[in-house]
Amino acid sequence: MSDYKKPLPVVQPYSQAFWDGTKQNKLLIQTCGDCKATIFFPRQQCPDCWSTNLGWMEARGTGEIYAFSITYEGVEAAFVEDLPIVLAWVDLPEGIRMQSNIIECDPDSIEIGQQVEVVYKKINDDITLPYFRPIS
Amino acid sequence: MSLAIIGIAEVPTKRDPERTRWDMLTEVCIGAIRDAGVDKDEIEAVISVNPMAQPQMALDMALGRVPEVLGLKGCKDICVLNAGGTSTTNCLRLAKYFLENGQAKFVLIPHTTVQSDIPTQELINFFATAPLDMQWEYPYGVTFNGAMGLITNRYMHDTGATAEEIAAVTVSLRAWGALDPNSIFYGKPVTLEQVMESRMISTPLHAKECNLLADGAGAMVVTTHEIAQELGKSAAYELGHGVRFTGATPVLRKDPYFVEAYRESSQDALKQANLGINDMDLRQIYGAYPFTQCSALEGYGVCEPGEAAKIWAEGRCGPGGDLPCTTMGDATGRGHTGSGVSMAFYLETVRQLRGQAGERQVSDCNHALITTSGGSVMNTATTIFGSAPR
Ligand SMILES: [Zn+2]
């Protein structure tokens, strides 16, 4: 796994729980204990009410494609072997929208509104990245 | 509002590594000061944009070399203001503060960029990462083109705009560029077929709908409305200005293709100018990607939501059309000079209001609206200029 050349997420203290979650194949969403907001991306304080009374909830792990784009070229060298890359914005039923990739799919079959589910890829001992694939 | 642009100069957008950053910068600064008809020692402030991917030049400009090299003996202050595509707009805003406070009567605003001497892979890396979140976007292979492809797809889904209609925007932008000696595409129009058949980069964006990085430089001299009138020079008078912030990270924005930001910033600017959108003879939209040429028209209220792509496809916004837009060509039709694209937008707007735009000249052009945007359209900054003060 040490030959992974692509950029790894720059983890922050207040997002560590998210990445600890993906290691256990759980998609955790930050929540506000005061105003009940669901928060993405994780922050030090609730962006709605500035509360620091924050917690985590486990997402169902399903979503819907809000937008996508299939990239064929123009990426950094480390990503070339992955082309074409299906970029997607995925709406989770918990009320957040995430940037990810749709994998394990025929790129030409991807549509806005399509239902997807999370799939985890272990990169190294610290990082497991969440991706999505169509629900067949 | 008290700012007027009285002098301009530009080095045509090209890929020309023979020309240095300082060589071009000197040419445009001297050119703009001579065009303004003032003495170099009357320039009391230099407010500039840094070429962000060019660290040595960025340092030189931030730390005061411009007035020293030019021998601007009356210069009292310098300042660098960077915000990607709204950098030049920020320069104008600070200049207005200097003018209104009497700190300066004449302010020089220069820009220079050379990207052709930077290795392609380095440029890809810079433009891939500059606007991205290092935790939530970068690990997924998001690029500038990819992010804009995502937004374009959603815009098309919501409005019913077709890939051909979106491609037609580029045809019109290149048609303007083909008429512009300052464009890298001077004399090089494209057909709809050429756009549609160019390589697919990030769906739905073909290669000809993405930006060609290039070199260029521009400068302007600004003063107050009153001084501009005393000088009796043909000038562009700022009449109103409005801005909206949309957010740094594309996936998190509530206004994904900026219609509300275009609407609100243009309404603020038009209200200050005491004018309506139908009083505008020209609309200049700096969005760097073709869908913005459509969503901006919808936000301004030029047409109903979902109609703008058809209007572009009918050629109404291109040369000879009844709704001329973006005669500057945008980055797609002129070449992308980093933060210099917005400089070129203001320079072209001045030419149009002065009646000096050659084959691109919009007839009876007395009022123009211009919107610039920074980063991946983190904001929309809309300004109204007129050929006369209010
Ligand atoms: Zn809260």
Side-chain angles (χ1 to χ4, degrees):
Chain A
M1 287 298 181
S2 60
D3 60 350
Y4 190 80
K5 295 286 193 303
K6 285 173 277 188
L8 292 167
V10 179
V11 178
Q12 296 149 323
Y14 40 89
S15 63
Q16 187 62 53
F18 178 92
W19 299 107
D20 290 342
T22 57
K23 269 195 280 189
Q24 302 165 46
N25 290 4
K26 288 179 182 170
L27 193 61
L28 298 184
I29 301 174
Q30 198 179 32
T31 55
C32 176
D34 288 333
C35 79
K36 310 300 173 197
T38 49
I39 303 163
F40 188 81
F41 44 82
R43 278 161 247 206
Q44 296 173 86
Q45 76 296 322
C46 170
D48 285 353
C49 74
W50 279 7
S51 169
T52 52
N53 175 23
L54 303 172
W56 298 86
M57 67 179 279
E58 188 176 346
R60 257 179 272 175
T62 58
E64 180 177 308
I65 297 176
Y66 175 81
F68 72 96
S69 177
I70 309 163
T71 291
Y72 290 93
E73 60 175 89
V75 294
E76 286 184 65
F79 284 100
V80 167
E81 63 180 12
D82 294 346
L83 294 172
I85 296 169
V86 183
L87 302 173
W89 292 355
V90 178
D91 281 346
L92 272 48
E94 292 80 9
I96 65 162
R97 182 172 296 157
M98 288 181 67
Q99 170 76 59
S100 188
N101 298 149
I102 309 297
I103 63 169
E104 299 174 23
C105 68
D106 169 13
D108 293 332
S109 72
I110 299 301
E111 290 176 349
I112 288 175
Q114 200 167 354
Q115 301 301 305
V116 292
E117 64 187 2
V118 68
V119 44
Y120 299 94
K121 271 198 196 175
K122 183 178 176 183
I123 307 300
N124 60 31
D125 287 344
D126 296 322
I127 295 293
T128 294
L129 282 171
Y131 295 89
F132 290 84
R133 68 181 169 209
I135 296 174
S136 47
Chain B
M1 297 306 125
S2 62
L3 179 143
I5 305 171
I6 58 166
I8 60 169
E10 186 170 9
V11 168
T13 301
K14 278 193 176 130
R15 289 185 65 82
D16 182 7
E18 296 295 304
R19 293 208 67 175
T20 69
R21 296 168 178 90
W22 275 107
D23 165 27
M24 294 196 294
L25 185 72
T26 307
E27 178 183 322
V28 294
C29 288
I30 292 173
I33 292 170
R34 285 191 173 144
D35 185 48
V38 300
D39 188 88
K40 73 175 172 65
D41 296 337
E42 291 183 276
I43 300 293
E44 291 177 300
V46 178
I47 305 176
S48 69
V49 183
N50 263 342
M52 293 211 277
Q54 300 154 49
Q56 185 59 54
M57 193 67 196
L59 272 174
D60 283 351
M61 293 181 82
L63 301 179
R65 286 209 197 278
V66 177
E68 189 173 88
V69 166
L70 293 170
L72 305 181
K73 292 179 189 141
C75 184
K76 297 173 186 165
D77 198 7
I78 69 127
C79 191
V80 156
L81 296 166
N82 274 45
T86 34
S87 303
T88 312
T89 313
N90 286 353
C91 294
L92 287 168
R93 294 193 276 205
L94 182 62
K96 195 157 72 181
Y97 172 80
F98 280 12
L99 294 166
E100 284 174 352
N101 283 283
Q103 288 171 260
K105 287 192 178 65
F106 300 100
V107 180
L108 174 68
I109 303 176
H111 177 267
T112 184
T113 197
V114 173
Q115 302 185 107
S116 61
D117 67 353
I118 302 171
T120 305
Q121 197 61 45
E122 254 179 59
L123 276 178
I124 287 179
N125 292 2
F126 179 79
F127 281 94
T129 56
L132 292 186
D133 189 288
M134 291 294 111
Q135 187 168 205
W136 308 106
E137 293 182 304
Y138 192 32
Y140 292 106
V142 181
T143 63
F144 228 125
N145 292 332
M148 292 300 168
L150 280 155
I151 302 171
T152 307
N153 261 339
R154 184 70 205 190
Y155 174 79
M156 291 166 63
H157 178 265
D158 289 349
T159 62
T162 67
E164 286 77 10
E165 287 166 351
I166 296 291
V169 174
T170 294
V171 175
S172 285
L173 294 174
R174 287 285 296 266
W176 286 121
L179 300 176
D180 188 348
N182 286 305
S183 169
I184 201 167
F185 301 115
Y186 182 45
K188 294 176 184 166
V190 291
T191 65
L192 188 65
E193 292 67 33
Q194 286 171 321
V195 176
M196 293 296 288
E197 285 164 16
S198 62
R199 301 180 334 273
M200 186 59 84
I201 305 293
S202 288
T203 58
L205 300 172
H206 302 82
K208 289 195 186 329
E209 296 172 283
C210 298
N211 293 294
L212 178 62
L213 296 173
D215 312 334
M220 51 190 164
V221 173
V222 300
T223 188
T224 64
H225 282 192
E226 292 73 21
I227 295 173
Q229 284 183 288
E230 281 166 27
L231 289 172
K233 303 274 295 183
S234 175
Y237 293 84
E238 191 199 349
L239 303 177
H241 181 65
V243 192
R244 282 299 181 278
F245 179 64
T246 69
T249 311
V251 69
L252 299 184
R253 293 180 188 135
K254 301 279 182 268
D255 181 20
Y257 35 83
F258 329 123
V259 174
E260 295 308 317
Y262 286 123
R263 184 187 329 281
E264 292 171 9
S265 66
S266 64
Q267 284 177 354
D268 282 2
L270 287 163
K271 191 176 172 198
Q272 282 176 24
N274 199 24
L275 292 165
I277 189 65
N278 295 328
D279 296 319
M280 297 299 110
D281 303 305
L282 170 62
R283 296 135 291 269
Q284 302 269 34
I285 303 148
Y286 174 24
Y289 286 84
F291 76 90
T292 59
Q293 300 292 332
C294 303
S295 58
L297 289 190
E298 292 164 7
Y300 298 156
V302 168
C303 63
E304 294 298 312
E307 286 183 358
K310 283 186 179 56
I311 288 173
W312 275 93
E314 290 162 359
R316 293 176 59 192
C317 305
D322 64 319
L323 277 173
C325 291
T326 315
T327 58
M328 178 277 185
D330 202 355
T332 321
R334 192 191 191 85
H336 200 303
T337 51
S339 302
V341 181
S342 55
M343 171 66 74
F345 261 98
Y346 290 108
L347 301 181
E348 167 67 3
T349 303
V350 174
R351 285 186 202 101
Q352 289 283 353
L353 291 169
R354 282 173 159 184
Q356 295 174 343
E359 292 181 87
R360 303 176 314 290
Q361 184 63 48
V362 170
S363 59
D364 300 320
C365 189
N366 291 310
H367 292 115
L369 171 152
I370 168 170
T371 300
T372 62
S373 294
S376 56
V377 192
M378 62 149 178
N379 59 359
T380 61
T382 301
T383 312
I384 312 297
F385 285 99
S387 55
R390 265 176 300 181

